[in-house]
Amino acid sequence: MYDPSHLRTFLSVAQTLSFTQAARRLGLRQSTVSQHVRRLEDAAGRPLFSRDTHSVELTEDGEAMLGFARRILEAHEQAAAFFAGTRLRGRLRFGASEDFVLTRLPEILEGFRHDHPEVDLELTVELSGTLHEQLAAGKLDLVLAKRRPKDPRGEPVRRDRLVWIGAERLRLDPDRPVPLIVYPPPGITRALALDALQRQGREWRVACTSGSLNGLIAAARAGLGVMAHSQGLIPPGLVRVPERAGLPELGRVDFVLVHGRRRPSAQGAADALASAILAGGDRLHRPRRTGLGEPV
């Protein structure tokens, strides 16, 4: 009933919220992407996206289709791998940015380990800027991180808006410097936040610096200040700072997969993990939940 190629196209559009970026990722024409989505909508009998000339958003039925599409594709790929009889081996050095600590990325990695038990997966969690540096130095094979401004490299996994967040009770004094909660250099979010404040001419001070996302969240929950963060990954207990606070717009950020130098022993595993992340990309903007159904 649902063509796997149409489901892959649907997931790419859902993750990038852009028919143009989905076409670029898949190596298809934009008209083909539109055709795939239209045929999937015809098969489902319901619209999956609401779109106009400026934006693309998932409908409620589109949100439901995300989970179905991912599970169908996972089963399809598992069957293909089983009957192909190929087993990946080798050591794969994978880096993921701190942004994904609270998402369901561990589920994707668990599935990968189950499907490829003979791959030695080494995980590094760091700042996006640090991961890009380690990739360039040949210390990593694959990285999932924010894309540096004006850097064309990387396969888009998802696009999101950066927003200011803080404790709900926090109130900013317009006559005092903005208290910032930031990663240390070379954090990409840090650089974007400081650039935006400097362009606005707004004074600021660093209230907390931490290389750990949990450390930043703790400081923000304590009301020490505000932090720039992906809108789709806002941690529980924090809220978006209202527009009346007068903080500058931060724009959008792309989360991308970037391959390092192609080591023959890691190339197959890196390609397989990249495919798994792209297929399960909808899990990367939803918090993990406890057994009680509460986000962690």
Coordinates of all heavy atoms in Angstrom, one line a residue, residues 88-136:
L88 N 28.2 -6.4 8.3 CA 29.2 -5.3 8.4 C 30.1 -5.6 9.6 O 29.6 -6.1 10.7 CB 28.5 -4.0 8.6 CG 27.7 -3.4 7.4 CD1 27.0 -2.2 7.8 CD2 28.6 -3.2 6.3
R89 N 31.3 -5.3 9.5 CA 32.3 -5.4 10.5 C 33.2 -4.1 10.6 O 33.2 -3.3 9.7 CB 33.2 -6.6 10.3 CG 32.5 -8.0 10.3 CD 33.4 -9.1 10.0 NE 32.8 -10.4 10.2 CZ 32.0 -11.0 9.3 NH1 31.8 -10.4 8.1 NH2 31.5 -12.2 9.5
G90 N 34.0 -4.0 11.6 CA 34.9 -2.9 11.7 C 34.6 -2.0 12.9 O 33.7 -2.2 13.7
R91 N 35.4 -0.9 13.0 CA 35.3 0.0 14.0 C 34.8 1.3 13.5 O 35.3 1.9 12.5 CB 36.7 0.2 14.6 CG 36.9 1.4 15.7 CD 38.2 1.3 16.3 NE 38.6 2.5 17.0 CZ 39.5 3.4 16.7 NH1 40.2 3.1 15.6 NH2 39.8 4.4 17.4
L92 N 33.7 1.8 14.1 CA 33.1 3.1 13.6 C 33.1 4.1 14.7 O 32.6 3.9 15.8 CB 31.6 2.8 13.2 CG 30.8 4.0 12.8 CD1 31.4 4.8 11.6 CD2 29.4 3.6 12.5
R93 N 33.8 5.2 14.5 CA 33.9 6.3 15.4 C 32.9 7.4 15.1 O 33.0 8.1 14.1 CB 35.3 6.9 15.4 CG 36.4 5.9 15.6 CD 37.8 6.4 15.3 NE 37.9 6.8 13.9 CZ 38.9 7.4 13.3 NH1 39.9 7.7 14.0 NH2 38.9 7.7 12.0
F94 N 31.8 7.4 15.9 CA 30.7 8.3 15.6 C 30.6 9.4 16.7 O 30.7 9.2 17.9 CB 29.4 7.5 15.7 CG 28.1 8.3 15.6 CD1 27.9 9.1 14.5 CD2 27.2 8.2 16.6 CE1 26.7 9.9 14.4 CE2 26.0 8.9 16.5 CZ 25.8 9.8 15.5
G95 N 30.4 10.7 16.2 CA 30.3 11.8 17.1 C 28.9 12.4 17.0 O 28.4 12.6 15.9
A96 N 28.3 12.7 18.1 CA 26.9 13.3 18.2 C 27.0 14.5 19.1 O 27.7 14.5 20.1 CB 25.9 12.3 18.7
S97 N 26.4 15.6 18.7 CA 26.5 16.8 19.5 C 25.6 16.7 20.7 O 24.7 15.9 20.8 CB 26.0 18.0 18.6 OG 24.6 18.1 18.5
E98 N 25.9 17.6 21.7 CA 25.2 17.6 23.0 C 23.7 17.8 22.8 O 22.9 17.4 23.6 CB 25.8 18.7 23.8 CG 27.0 18.4 24.6 CD 26.7 17.7 25.9 OE1 25.6 17.8 26.4 OE2 27.6 17.1 26.5
D99 N 23.3 18.4 21.7 CA 21.9 18.7 21.5 C 21.0 17.5 21.5 O 19.8 17.6 21.8 CB 21.7 19.4 20.1 CG 22.5 20.7 20.0 OD1 22.0 21.7 20.3 OD2 23.7 20.6 19.5
F100 N 21.6 16.3 21.2 CA 20.8 15.1 21.1 C 20.8 14.2 22.3 O 20.3 13.1 22.3 CB 21.2 14.3 19.9 CG 21.1 15.1 18.6 CD1 22.2 15.6 17.9 CD2 19.8 15.3 18.0 CE1 22.1 16.3 16.7 CE2 19.7 16.0 16.9 CZ 20.8 16.5 16.2
V101 N 21.4 14.7 23.4 CA 21.5 14.0 24.6 C 20.1 13.6 25.1 O 19.9 12.5 25.6 CB 22.3 14.8 25.7 CG1 22.1 14.1 27.1 CG2 23.7 14.8 25.4
L102 N 19.2 14.5 25.1 CA 17.8 14.2 25.6 C 16.8 13.7 24.6 O 15.6 13.6 24.9 CB 17.3 15.5 26.3 CG 18.1 16.1 27.4 CD1 17.5 17.3 28.0 CD2 18.3 15.0 28.5
T103 N 17.3 13.4 23.4 CA 16.4 12.9 22.4 C 16.4 11.4 22.4 O 17.0 10.7 23.2 CB 16.7 13.4 21.0 OG1 17.9 12.8 20.5 CG2 16.9 14.9 21.0
R104 N 15.8 10.8 21.3 CA 15.7 9.3 21.2 C 16.8 8.8 20.3 O 16.7 7.7 19.8 CB 14.3 9.0 20.7 CG 13.2 9.3 21.8 CD 11.8 9.3 21.2 NE 11.4 8.0 20.8 CZ 10.3 7.7 20.1 NH1 9.6 8.7 19.7 NH2 10.0 6.5 19.8
L105 N 17.9 9.5 20.2 CA 19.0 9.0 19.4 C 19.5 7.7 20.0 O 19.9 6.8 19.2 CB 20.2 10.0 19.4 CG 21.5 9.6 18.8 CD1 21.3 9.3 17.3 CD2 22.6 10.6 19.0
P106 N 19.5 7.5 21.3 CA 19.9 6.1 21.8 C 19.1 5.0 21.2 O 19.7 3.9 21.0 CB 19.7 6.2 23.3 CG 19.9 7.7 23.6 CD 19.3 8.4 22.4
E107 N 17.9 5.2 20.9 CA 17.1 4.1 20.3 C 17.6 3.8 18.9 O 17.6 2.6 18.5 CB 15.6 4.6 20.2 CG 14.9 4.7 21.6 CD 13.5 5.2 21.4 OE1 12.9 5.1 20.3 OE2 12.9 5.6 22.4
I108 N 18.0 4.8 18.1 CA 18.5 4.6 16.8 C 19.8 3.8 16.9 O 20.1 2.9 16.1 CB 18.7 5.9 16.1 CG1 17.4 6.6 15.9 CG2 19.4 5.7 14.7 CD1 17.5 8.0 15.2
L109 N 20.7 4.2 17.8 CA 21.9 3.5 18.0 C 21.7 2.1 18.5 O 22.5 1.2 18.1 CB 22.8 4.3 19.0 CG 23.2 5.7 18.6 CD1 24.1 6.4 19.6 CD2 23.9 5.7 17.2
E110 N 20.8 1.9 19.4 CA 20.5 0.5 19.8 C 20.0 -0.4 18.7 O 20.4 -1.5 18.5 CB 19.4 0.6 20.9 CG 19.0 -0.8 21.5 CD 17.9 -0.7 22.5 OE1 17.2 0.3 22.6 OE2 17.7 -1.7 23.2
G111 N 19.2 0.2 17.8 CA 18.7 -0.6 16.6 C 19.9 -0.9 15.7 O 20.0 -2.0 15.1
F112 N 20.8 0.1 15.5 CA 22.0 -0.2 14.7 C 22.8 -1.3 15.3 O 23.3 -2.2 14.5 CB 22.8 1.1 14.5 CG 24.0 1.0 13.8 CD1 24.0 1.0 12.4 CD2 25.3 0.8 14.4 CE1 25.2 0.8 11.7 CE2 26.4 0.7 13.7 CZ 26.4 0.7 12.3
R113 N 23.1 -1.3 16.6 CA 23.9 -2.3 17.2 C 23.2 -3.7 17.1 O 23.9 -4.7 16.9 CB 24.1 -1.9 18.7 CG 25.0 -0.7 18.9 CD 26.4 -1.0 18.7 NE 26.9 -2.1 19.6 CZ 27.4 -3.2 19.2 NH1 27.5 -3.5 17.9 NH2 27.9 -4.1 20.1
H114 N 21.9 -3.7 17.2 CA 21.2 -5.0 17.0 C 21.3 -5.5 15.6 O 21.5 -6.7 15.4 CB 19.7 -4.8 17.3 CG 18.8 -6.0 17.2 ND1 18.2 -6.3 16.0 CD2 18.6 -7.0 18.0 CE1 17.6 -7.4 16.1 NE2 17.8 -7.9 17.3
D115 N 21.2 -4.6 14.6 CA 21.3 -5.1 13.2 C 22.7 -5.4 12.8 O 22.9 -6.2 11.8 CB 20.7 -4.0 12.3 CG 19.2 -3.8 12.5 OD1 18.6 -4.7 13.1 OD2 18.7 -2.7 12.1
H116 N 23.7 -4.7 13.5 CA 25.1 -4.9 13.0 C 26.0 -5.2 14.3 O 26.8 -4.4 14.7 CB 25.6 -3.6 12.3 CG 24.7 -3.2 11.2 ND1 24.6 -3.9 10.0 CD2 23.9 -2.2 11.1 CE1 23.8 -3.3 9.2 NE2 23.3 -2.3 9.8
P117 N 25.8 -6.4 14.9 CA 26.5 -6.7 16.1 C 28.0 -6.8 16.0 O 28.7 -6.7 17.0 CB 25.9 -8.0 16.5 CG 25.4 -8.6 15.2 CD 24.9 -7.5 14.4
E118 N 28.5 -6.9 14.8 CA 30.0 -7.1 14.6 C 30.7 -5.8 14.3 O 31.9 -5.7 14.1 CB 30.3 -8.1 13.5 CG 29.8 -9.5 13.9 CD 30.1 -10.5 12.8 OE1 31.1 -10.4 12.2 OE2 29.3 -11.5 12.7
V119 N 29.9 -4.7 14.4 CA 30.5 -3.3 14.3 C 30.9 -2.8 15.7 O 30.0 -2.8 16.6 CB 29.6 -2.3 13.6 CG1 30.1 -0.9 13.6 CG2 29.4 -2.8 12.1
D120 N 32.1 -2.4 15.9 CA 32.5 -1.8 17.2 C 32.2 -0.3 17.1 O 32.9 0.5 16.5 CB 34.0 -2.0 17.4 CG 34.3 -3.5 17.6 OD1 33.5 -4.2 18.3 OD2 35.4 -3.9 17.2
L121 N 31.1 0.1 17.7 CA 30.7 1.5 17.6 C 31.2 2.3 18.8 O 31.0 1.9 20.0 CB 29.1 1.6 17.7 CG 28.5 3.0 17.6 CD1 28.9 3.7 16.3 CD2 27.0 2.9 17.8
E122 N 32.0 3.3 18.5 CA 32.6 4.2 19.6 C 31.9 5.6 19.5 O 31.9 6.2 18.4 CB 34.1 4.4 19.3 CG 34.9 3.1 19.5 CD 36.3 3.3 19.3 OE1 36.8 4.5 19.1 OE2 37.1 2.3 19.3
L123 N 31.2 6.0 20.5 CA 30.4 7.2 20.5 C 31.1 8.3 21.3 O 31.6 8.1 22.4 CB 29.0 6.9 21.2 CG 28.1 8.2 21.4 CD1 27.7 8.8 20.1 CD2 26.9 7.8 22.3
T124 N 31.2 9.5 20.6 CA 31.7 10.7 21.3 C 30.6 11.7 21.3 O 30.1 12.0 20.3 CB 32.9 11.2 20.5 OG1 34.0 10.3 20.5 CG2 33.4 12.5 21.1
V125 N 30.3 12.3 22.5 CA 29.4 13.3 22.6 C 30.1 14.6 23.0 O 30.8 14.7 24.0 CB 28.3 13.0 23.7 CG1 27.3 14.1 23.9 CG2 27.6 11.7 23.4
E126 N 30.0 15.6 22.1 CA 30.7 16.8 22.3 C 30.0 18.0 21.7 O 28.9 17.8 21.2 CB 32.1 16.7 21.6 CG 33.3 16.4 22.5 CD 33.6 17.5 23.5 OE1 32.9 18.6 23.4 OE2 34.6 17.3 24.3
L127 N 30.5 19.2 21.8 CA 30.0 20.4 21.2 C 30.1 20.2 19.7 O 31.1 19.6 19.2 CB 30.8 21.6 21.6 CG 30.9 21.9 23.1 CD1 31.6 23.2 23.3 CD2 29.5 22.1 23.7
S128 N 29.2 20.8 18.9 CA 29.2 20.7 17.5 C 30.5 21.2 16.9 O 31.1 20.5 16.0 CB 28.1 21.4 16.8 OG 26.8 20.8 17.1
G129 N 31.0 22.3 17.4 CA 32.3 22.9 16.9 C 33.4 21.9 17.1 O 34.3 21.8 16.3
T130 N 33.5 21.3 18.3 CA 34.5 20.4 18.6 C 34.5 19.2 17.7 O 35.5 18.6 17.3 CB 34.5 20.0 20.1 OG1 34.6 21.2 20.9 CG2 35.6 19.0 20.5
L131 N 33.3 18.7 17.5 CA 33.1 17.5 16.6 C 33.6 17.8 15.2 O 34.3 16.9 14.6 CB 31.7 17.0 16.6 CG 31.1 16.5 17.9 CD1 29.6 16.2 17.8 CD2 31.8 15.2 18.3
H132 N 33.3 18.9 14.7 CA 33.8 19.3 13.3 C 35.3 19.3 13.3 O 36.0 18.9 12.4 CB 33.2 20.6 12.9 CG 31.8 20.6 12.5 ND1 31.4 19.9 11.4 CD2 30.7 21.1 13.0 CE1 30.1 20.0 11.3 NE2 29.6 20.8 12.3
E133 N 35.9 19.8 14.4 CA 37.4 19.8 14.5 C 38.0 18.4 14.5 O 39.0 18.1 13.9 CB 37.8 20.6 15.7 CG 37.5 22.1 15.6 CD 37.9 22.9 16.9 OE1 38.2 22.2 17.9 OE2 37.8 24.1 16.9
Q134 N 37.4 17.6 15.3 CA 37.9 16.2 15.4 C 37.7 15.4 14.1 O 38.5 14.6 13.7 CB 37.1 15.5 16.6 CG 37.5 16.0 17.9 CD 36.8 15.2 19.1 OE1 36.0 14.3 18.8 NE2 37.1 15.6 20.3
L135 N 36.6 15.7 13.4 CA 36.4 15.1 12.1 C 37.5 15.5 11.1 O 38.0 14.7 10.4 CB 35.0 15.5 11.6 CG 34.5 14.7 10.4 CD1 34.0 13.3 10.7 CD2 33.3 15.5 9.7
A136 N 37.8 16.8 11.1 CA 38.8 17.3 10.2 C 40.2 16.7 10.5 O 41.0 16.5 9.7 CB 38.9 18.8 10.3

